[in-house]
Amino acid sequence: MHLNRILLSTLLVLFALLTQICVLARLQLPGAVPDLLLLVVLGLALVYGHTGGALIGFGAGLLADLAPPADHAVGRYALVLCVIGYLAGLAKPESGQLRSATGPMLVVVAAAIGATLLYAGVGELVGDDAARHVGLSKLLFTAALYDLLLAPFAVPLIMALARKAENDPMADSAGGPGGDSASRWISAAGGVRTARAGRLSRLKRTGRTARIGGQRGGLLTKGGKGRTGRIKGVKRL
């Protein structure tokens, strides 16, 4: 990953983690807690692709596993966000631009439900059955609802920041978007010069032809007059 991607992802993940621990977790909402960290991973994965999404998801999940007041096994949420980040990155549009908001909203709902199911499934494997006591269906519904309500405010902003960092001229390589633009400008300038040179050469050739034609016409006129004089002189004699 590029340095600007790493810096931006780190800042966004830390901000989301602190906001979730200090603000969202204390709202005491029924069911699940709004998962801002998941939305950050989704927004970055939709811009960076499946590889970047998996790496960012693993790092974000590992920080969440280590941050207090975490009460689950270390690596559990890291695995969940790694898988979710990879799958969300597969939904990255080929053109890099989203045509509508329907796709990202569907990705958010699927990720919220998938993350809850995967988290509960991993918990069953390690002997943590807390999801049973709360109610898995309630967790699924509230997680999808809270994340869907929070997504329009978080995901577009995260994606815009990621795209802005990607278009940084200091980070563009010669073969990147900036290099392509520069090559197009150079080729366009070369085409203008070539067209001007072609027009000038055609004008020069046209001027030479006109002068030669004029000279030939003058010689023919003078020659005709000379012959006429000589013919008249012969007749006079």
Side-chain angles (χ1 to χ4, degrees):
M1 294 179 68
H2 300 295
L3 180 60
N4 54 349
R5 289 188 180 186
I6 296 174
L7 292 176
L8 179 64
S9 301
T10 303
L11 291 176
L12 290 176
V13 166
L14 290 177
F15 175 79
L17 184 61
L18 291 176
T19 303
Q20 189 160 334
I21 294 175
C22 300
V23 179
L24 299 178
R26 298 184 179 183
L27 295 178
Q28 297 181 354
L29 296 174
V33 176
D35 199 342
L36 183 60
L37 197 61
L38 175 65
L39 298 180
V40 169
V41 173
L42 291 179
L44 295 177
L46 289 174
V47 178
Y48 296 153
H50 58 278
T51 302
L55 294 175
I56 295 170
F58 179 81
L62 189 60
L63 288 177
D65 290 333
L66 297 174
D71 56 353
H72 55 267
V74 176
R76 180 177 173 183
Y77 202 49
L79 175 62
V80 172
L81 288 187
C82 180
V83 174
I84 295 299
Y86 179 85
L87 295 177
L90 296 176
K92 173 188 175 182
E94 296 180 358
S95 61
Q97 299 291 334
L98 297 175
R99 297 181 179 180
S100 65
T102 305
M105 293 300 102
L106 293 177
V107 171
V108 169
V109 174
I113 296 175
T116 304
L117 289 175
L118 188 58
Y119 186 84
V122 175
E124 290 290 336
L125 294 177
V126 297
D128 185 1
D129 56 351
R132 290 183 179 180
H133 302 290
V134 179
L136 185 59
S137 59
K138 183 179 180 180
L139 285 176
L140 291 175
F141 176 76
T142 54
L145 178 62
Y146 297 154
D147 292 345
L148 189 60
L149 293 176
L150 187 60
F153 303 98
V155 175
L157 178 61
I158 294 167
M159 295 181 67
L161 291 174
R163 288 198 185 101
K164 187 176 181 180
E166 286 291 283
N167 295 329
D168 187 0
M170 298 299 295
D172 289 335
S173 59
D180 293 340
S181 300
S183 62
R184 286 195 296 268
W185 277 99
I186 293 172
S187 61
V192 171
R193 295 193 196 100
T194 304
R196 288 178 179 174
R199 286 196 294 269
L200 289 175
S201 62
R202 286 195 297 271
L203 289 174
K204 289 180 180 178
R205 286 197 298 268
T206 304
R208 289 174 183 173
T209 304
R211 286 197 297 272
I212 292 173
Q215 291 174 359
R216 288 180 179 176
L219 290 174
L220 290 174
T221 304
K222 291 179 181 179
K225 290 180 179 179
R227 292 193 191 97
T228 305
R230 285 195 296 271
I231 292 171
K232 289 181 179 179
V234 171
K235 287 182 178 180
R236 286 175 185 174
L237 290 173

